[in-house]
């Protein structure tokens, strides 16, 4: 849901920056790789230490590379299947690193097995939600559904909550509860989204199979009358 509006807004805002990087000779693929490395560093270095505020700041800076690299490719007229593949693949890596950072915190100093399990579910369900759409499209289905909690929602909910929860170390009382709440919301929303996509793929596949069967029957009828 957020993808539709937020992506268009930030694409316009970041267009001049993308143009500057092109003039400096930076390639879109380099931006993709650097952005993913920055997100992973922010998540896997800061989050396991409980430094959620600074970790979120680092991740937020680098996560915008997901918009910059595509913008650069379009401006330069070099959009390619490889670039799209690399971008989508590394998006999954970055998303996994963010939730892995939460897992490491709750498995270690955070000392909460339940929230560790919830974070693991968020990590796994996020990957599966993305896979269901990719797999459905790979077998020729449109997978025409806007899920309740897609990638943008997962990132915004988790990172905003983590950043605010990190203010607990600056003396803001009680605010650290926001991260557990956010993880439960993302887990529940991801489950709903997964069900939405599975149901959609089942319906679309049944419709496609029925249409194919009807077309085959019509062809056989046409051959029989000849």
């Amino acid at each position: 849901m957020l993808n539709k509006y937020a992506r268009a807004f930030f694409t316009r805002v970041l267009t001049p920056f993308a143009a500057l990087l092109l003039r400096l000779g930076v390639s879109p693929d380099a931006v993709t790789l650097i952005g993913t490395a920055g997100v992973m560093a922010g998540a896997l270095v800061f989050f396991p230490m409980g430094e959620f505020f600074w970790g979120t700041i680092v991740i937020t800076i680098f996560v915008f590379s997901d918009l910059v690299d595509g913008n650069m490719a379009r401006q330069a007229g070099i959009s390619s299947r490889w670039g799209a593949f690399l971008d989508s693949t590394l998006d999954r890596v970055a998303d996994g690193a963010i939730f892995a950072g939460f897992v490491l915190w709750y498995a270690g100093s955070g000392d909460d097995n339940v929230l560790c399990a919830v974070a693991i579910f968020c990590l796994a369900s996020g990957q599966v939600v993305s896979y269901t759409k990719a797999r459905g499209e790979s077998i020729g289905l449109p997978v025409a559904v806007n899920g309740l909690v897609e990638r943008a929602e997962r990132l915004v909910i988790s990172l905003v909550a983590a950043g605010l929860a990190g203010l607990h170390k600056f003396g803001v009382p009680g605010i650290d509860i926001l991260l557990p709440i956010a993880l439960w919301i993302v887990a529940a929303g991801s489950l709903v989204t997964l069900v939405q996509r599975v149901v959609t793929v089942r319906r679309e596949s049944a419709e496609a199979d029925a249409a194919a069967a009807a077309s085959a029957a019509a062809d056989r009828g046409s051959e029989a009358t000849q």
Side-chain angles (χ1 to χ4, degrees):
M1 290 183 291
L2 286 176
N3 278 332
K4 181 179 179 181
Y5 303 105
R7 180 174 288 271
F9 170 76
F10 284 111
T11 296
R12 288 195 299 272
V13 171
L14 294 171
T15 293
F17 180 62
L20 173 62
L21 291 178
L22 286 172
R23 289 196 296 271
L24 293 175
V26 180
S27 72
D29 286 353
V31 172
T32 303
L33 292 168
I34 293 170
T36 302
V39 170
M40 292 179 66
L44 298 178
V45 173
F46 290 94
F47 284 0
M49 297 189 298
E51 295 290 346
F52 294 115
F53 177 79
W54 294 115
T56 300
I57 293 297
V58 172
I59 291 170
T60 301
I61 291 171
F62 285 99
V63 82
F64 282 108
S65 66
D66 187 44
L67 299 176
V68 173
D69 54 6
N71 193 315
M72 291 171 65
R74 286 189 295 273
Q75 288 191 48
I78 55 174
S79 297
S80 65
R81 291 181 176 86
W82 161 251
F85 170 81
L86 181 66
D87 186 54
S88 295
T89 300
L90 293 185
D91 280 350
R92 306 289 82 76
V93 173
D95 293 357
I98 291 171
F99 288 102
F102 296 140
V103 171
L104 292 172
W105 164 249
Y106 286 116
S109 301
D111 193 23
D112 192 317
N113 289 337
V114 173
L115 288 175
C116 179
V118 173
I120 291 173
F121 181 82
C122 290
L123 192 163
S125 61
Q127 305 299 314
V128 176
V129 163
S130 297
Y131 175 79
T132 53
K133 185 173 180 66
R135 182 60 178 142
E137 291 174 342
S138 73
I139 58 175
L141 301 175
V143 196
V145 59
N146 291 320
L148 178 65
V149 175
E150 297 181 320
R151 183 175 187 249
E153 286 83 6
R154 289 196 302 272
L155 290 179
V156 169
I157 293 170
S158 302
L159 293 178
V160 168
L164 292 174
L167 295 176
H168 179 72
K169 287 203 169 187
F170 294 90
V172 180
I175 201 165
D176 51 327
I177 192 64
L178 291 178
L179 181 55
I181 292 173
L183 290 176
W184 279 107
I185 290 173
V186 170
S190 296
L191 179 59
V192 171
T193 303
L194 178 58
V195 171
Q196 287 177 303
R197 290 192 172 178
V198 169
V199 169
T200 298
V201 169
R202 180 178 174 80
R203 173 179 54 78
E204 290 178 349
S205 61
E207 292 171 351
D209 291 343
S215 177
D219 289 343
R220 288 194 297 270
S222 176
E223 291 173 0
T225 58
Q226 290 179 358

